[in-house]
């Protein structure tokens, strides 16, 4: 059996290959036959340059059907795909290209002047734009199609995805064909995907959420997708009646609730809304249910593991939790003293299963650090498990604040502050302090017109929990810094506050 993910996906093709696989917001349709034809052309470019299985291809391109086919062509040919965030600038790109040493780089035409100088003499460069143009397409149209599918093992690397690098240089997580196949099959079963589903695809393709989770669920289940290249709120509402499933980040759901056009009629054909990549506030969870009648399903995953947990499709979806371990995925929560945490105790979450990556690219020492002696991956996330087995993510271990010898978990303070009238959201960080080691600082976004004061926030927290958890200072901002997937960048907050003195 060929364990190449492309072979496994195409072996599941529907009986009628002229069925629509995706339709863009501009109305352009692509069938399963088109997938086979276009990826063969794209792989023909790789063959024409003499690339070999295991060589890397880096892509910094806008979201388009062609960018998805580029990834699938890499699987087919046996190249390792490196999706690069479209926001990356010169210094970031220089490091990533130098570290991965791709044999071929595909970039937006307006980034050519940035990318070309970074390439070694033996690296090839092509352009691809969001409209499906560029010299890569010209090369593909004249290439001899590569109609085979490389035979690969499940442990062969399919993609290298670089972590965000908030604590030093980014690390390239090597994700295998087996990792991706395992997660795809599990999620299709867990979330009830079928060939009757239409996914409203609103996510970028340079991230595992949009590329692996969303697209693989469609491909594995022989479903189809409405592929939005412009994923603004109005566009999402316009195309939602033609869809059955949506995967989004909390920002998507917050913005939908901010539109008067979004109501139950908008969701008339929807069966499932899924949220991930950042925590969904209980307030948005409840308001969404009241507005639409739908209960958002939260799940938890990370670059190195794909999805690990999910609230159930059938059963209680508990706000503030990420649900239960997925079938085949083992989780344990370890306290600082090495013992396993009891119910509602906080510790570091560790994961084991066929979804877990095989290591960091060219960093064996770092890989060894991130795995326990008995083979568990140390996620770095703080978590707790309730009596019913539901997992709650309490924050990152690196965000843990030790103030005056006490462990302070930012998430519980943020939930306390977020529940206050006049608060939109908050983030809690630790700042250097000569007396306490670290001092708790709350950064708060107020509702328009709110006159909430620092003393009110501090007093509220003191009334709700132990005084050592109360912020020593409160700063009010118009918005919290976020990355492209909606995660609050606490490292940016800390740097800004410390820089201000």
């Amino acid at each position: 059996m060929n364990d190449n993910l492309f072979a496994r996906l195409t072996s599941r093709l529907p009986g009628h290959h002229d069925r629509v696989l995706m339709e863009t917001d501009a109305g352009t349709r692509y069938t399963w036959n088109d997938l086979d034809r276009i990826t063969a052309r794209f792989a023909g470019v790789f063959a024409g340059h003499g690339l070999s299985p295991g060589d890397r291809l880096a892509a910094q391109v806008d979201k388009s059907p062609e960018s998805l086919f580029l990834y699938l062509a890499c699987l087919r040919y046996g190249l390792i795909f490196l999706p690069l965030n479209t926001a990356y600038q010169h210094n970031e790109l220089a490091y990533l290209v130098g570290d991965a040493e791709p044999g071929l780089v595909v970039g937006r035409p307006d980034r050519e002047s940035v990318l070309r100088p970074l390439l070694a003499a033996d690296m090839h460069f092509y352009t691809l734009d969001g409209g499906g143009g560029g010299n890569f397409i010209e090369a593909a149209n004249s290439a001899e199609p590569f109609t085979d599918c490389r035979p690969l093992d499940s442990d062969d690397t399919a993609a290298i995805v670089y972590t965000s690098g908030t604590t030093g240089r980014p690390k390239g997580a090597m994700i295998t064909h087996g990792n991706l196949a395992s997660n795809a099959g599990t999620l299709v079963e867990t979330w009830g995907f079928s060939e009757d589903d239409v996914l409203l695809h609103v996510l970028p393709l340079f991230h595992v959420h949009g590329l692996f989770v969303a697209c693989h669920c469609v491909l594995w289940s022989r479903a189809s997708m409405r592929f939005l290249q412009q994923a603004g709120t109005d566009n999402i509402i316009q195309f939602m009646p033609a869809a059955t499933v949506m995967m989004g980040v909390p920002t998507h759901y917050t913005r939908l609730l901010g539109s008067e056009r979004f109501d139950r009629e908008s969701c008339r054909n929807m069966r499932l809304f899924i949220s991930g990549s950042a925590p969904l506030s209980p307030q948005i969870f409840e308001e969404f249910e009241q507005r639409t009648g739908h209960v958002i399903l939260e799940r938890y995953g990370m670059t190195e593991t794909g999805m690990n947990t999910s609230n159930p499709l059938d059963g209680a979806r508990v706000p503030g939790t990420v649900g239960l371990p997925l079938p085949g995925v083992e989780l344990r929560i370890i306290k600082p003293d090495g013992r396993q945490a009891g119910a509602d105790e906080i510790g570091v979450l560790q994961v084991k299963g066929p979804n877990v990556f095989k290591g960091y690219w060219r960093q064996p020492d770092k890989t060894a650090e991130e795995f326990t002696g008995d083979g568990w991956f140390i996620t770095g996330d703080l978590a707790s498990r309730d009596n019913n087995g539901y997992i709650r993510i309490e924050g990152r271990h690196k965000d843990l604040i030790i103030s005056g010898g006490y462990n302070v978990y930012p998430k519980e303070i943020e939930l306390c502050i977020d529940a206050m009238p006049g608060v939109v959201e908050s983030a809690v960080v630790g700042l250097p302090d000569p007396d306490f080691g670290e001092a708790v600082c709350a950064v708060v976004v107020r509702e328009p017109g709110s006159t909430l004061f620092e003393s009110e926030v501090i007093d509220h927290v003191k009334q709700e929990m132990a005084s050592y958890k109360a912020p020593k200072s409160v700063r009010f901002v118009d918005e919290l810094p976020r990355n492209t997937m909606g995660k609050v960048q606490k490292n940016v907050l800390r740097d800004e506050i410390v820089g201000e003195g």
Side-chain angles (χ1 to χ4, degrees), residues 83-342:
L84 300 180
N85 191 315
T86 52
Y88 285 160
Q89 298 302 313
H90 178 272
N91 289 344
E92 296 159 307
L93 293 169
Y95 170 76
L96 297 173
V97 170
D99 187 59
E101 296 184 306
L104 194 153
V105 176
V106 182
R108 297 179 303 185
D110 64 352
R111 302 293 286 167
E112 183 170 1
S113 62
V114 176
L115 286 163
R116 268 197 184 276
L118 304 178
L119 308 187
D122 59 345
M123 297 180 185
H124 307 284
F125 181 82
Y126 284 99
T127 59
L128 175 64
D129 63 35
N135 61 14
F136 181 78
I137 302 301
E138 296 169 7
N141 289 338
S142 60
E144 180 69 25
F146 180 85
T147 57
D148 294 335
C149 178
R150 296 276 190 195
L152 298 173
D153 294 330
S154 62
D155 196 47
D156 285 326
T157 302
I160 295 175
V161 183
Y162 280 85
T163 59
S164 59
T166 56
T167 56
R169 287 292 196 181
K171 305 183 296 293
M174 296 184 289
I175 303 169
T176 70
H177 287 258
N179 294 153
L180 296 173
S182 168
N183 226 216
T186 298
L187 294 178
V188 165
E189 183 70 23
T190 299
W191 293 338
F193 267 85
S194 76
E195 61 185 23
D196 297 324
D197 274 311
V198 178
L199 174 73
L200 190 63
H201 197 294
V202 304
L203 297 161
L205 289 184
F206 56 73
H207 192 272
V208 295
H209 192 175
L211 183 59
F212 299 154
V213 181
C215 293
H216 289 172
C217 279
V218 170
L219 293 164
W220 195 273
S221 63
R222 303 180 297 276
S224 63
M225 60 182 132
R226 197 66 184 243
F227 192 82
L228 302 193
Q229 292 178 256
Q230 303 298 323
T233 301
D234 288 342
N235 228 24
I236 292 174
I237 294 171
Q238 176 184 344
F239 291 106
M240 188 173 290
T244 63
V245 180
M246 173 177 159
M247 297 182 193
V249 300
T251 302
H252 287 120
Y253 297 115
T254 301
R255 291 177 178 173
L256 283 171
L257 291 173
S259 173
E260 294 181 356
R261 295 179 53 213
F262 183 62
D263 54 21
R264 292 189 180 227
E265 177 62 17
S266 308
C267 311
R268 61 182 179 269
N269 292 320
M270 295 293 291
R271 72 170 183 86
L272 183 61
F273 291 94
I274 302 169
S275 181
S277 295
L280 182 74
S281 75
Q283 291 92 329
I284 296 299
F285 182 96
E286 293 166 7
E287 186 179 344
F288 197 90
E289 183 178 8
Q290 292 169 3
R291 176 87 69 90
T292 67
H294 284 274
V295 181
I296 295 174
L297 184 151
E298 288 188 82
R299 83 303 176 282
Y300 160 73
M302 57 191 309
T303 299
E304 292 92 338
T305 64
M307 292 304 102
N308 297 307
T309 73
S310 175
N311 272 271
L313 183 64
D314 300 311
R317 300 177 195 170
V318 181
T321 78
V322 292
L324 305 161
L326 290 169
V329 179
E330 297 179 75
L331 301 181
R332 69 184 186 188
I333 299 171
I334 302 299
K335 299 282 286 181
D337 60 8
R339 68 179 178 87
Q340 291 207 37

Side-chain angles (χ1 to χ4, degrees), residues 381-426:
D381 286 322
L382 295 169
S384 62
R385 191 194 312 246
D386 68 18
N387 285 319
N388 295 316
Y390 283 69
I391 303 295
R392 188 182 301 272
I393 303 300
E394 308 286 355
R396 290 290 292 169
H397 187 252
K398 64 180 176 62
D399 292 331
L400 174 68
I401 301 167
I402 303 177
S403 183
Y406 292 102
N407 287 351
V408 179
Y409 299 100
K411 183 67 177 292
E412 62 175 339
I413 304 170
E414 290 162 359
L415 290 173
C416 179
I417 296 172
D418 290 349
M420 295 182 67
V423 173
V424 175
E425 61 179 343
S426 66

Side-chain angles (χ1 to χ4, degrees), residues 298-495:
E298 288 188 82
R299 83 303 176 282
Y300 160 73
M302 57 191 309
T303 299
E304 292 92 338
T305 64
M307 292 304 102
N308 297 307
T309 73
S310 175
N311 272 271
L313 183 64
D314 300 311
R317 300 177 195 170
V318 181
T321 78
V322 292
L324 305 161
L326 290 169
V329 179
E330 297 179 75
L331 301 181
R332 69 184 186 188
I333 299 171
I334 302 299
K335 299 282 286 181
D337 60 8
R339 68 179 178 87
Q340 291 207 37
D344 297 322
E345 289 186 327
I346 296 174
V348 176
L349 186 64
Q350 300 179 1
V351 182
K352 182 186 283 189
N355 56 312
V356 178
F357 78 132
K358 71 176 185 179
Y360 293 112
W361 171 254
R362 293 177 173 171
Q363 294 195 47
D365 292 343
K366 189 62 180 174
T367 300
E369 288 176 17
E370 301 297 331
F371 283 86
T372 65
D374 53 350
W376 292 76
F377 174 61
I378 306 167
T379 67
D381 286 322
L382 295 169
S384 62
R385 191 194 312 246
D386 68 18
N387 285 319
N388 295 316
Y390 283 69
I391 303 295
R392 188 182 301 272
I393 303 300
E394 308 286 355
R396 290 290 292 169
H397 187 252
K398 64 180 176 62
D399 292 331
L400 174 68
I401 301 167
I402 303 177
S403 183
Y406 292 102
N407 287 351
V408 179
Y409 299 100
K411 183 67 177 292
E412 62 175 339
I413 304 170
E414 290 162 359
L415 290 173
C416 179
I417 296 172
D418 290 349
M420 295 182 67
V423 173
V424 175
E425 61 179 343
S426 66
V428 170
V429 297
L431 301 179
D433 185 272
D435 294 325
F436 295 94
E438 288 184 291
V440 178
C441 174
V443 184
V444 177
V445 179
R446 289 179 288 202
E447 292 179 351
S450 171
T451 59
L452 190 66
F453 291 106
E454 178 182 57
S455 59
E456 294 176 279
V457 175
I458 294 172
D459 289 344
H460 174 75
V461 176
K462 285 182 176 178
Q463 291 172 8
E464 298 292 324
M465 53 186 60
S467 60
Y468 71 84
K469 299 179 182 180
K472 299 293 189 293
S473 62
V474 179
R475 295 177 181 241
F476 296 100
V477 297
D478 294 332
E479 61 181 4
L480 299 176
R482 283 185 157 83
N483 65 17
T484 53
M485 295 308 291
K487 290 184 179 179
V488 174
Q489 296 176 297
K490 291 190 174 182
N491 59 310
V492 173
L493 275 180
R494 287 191 202 93
D495 291 345

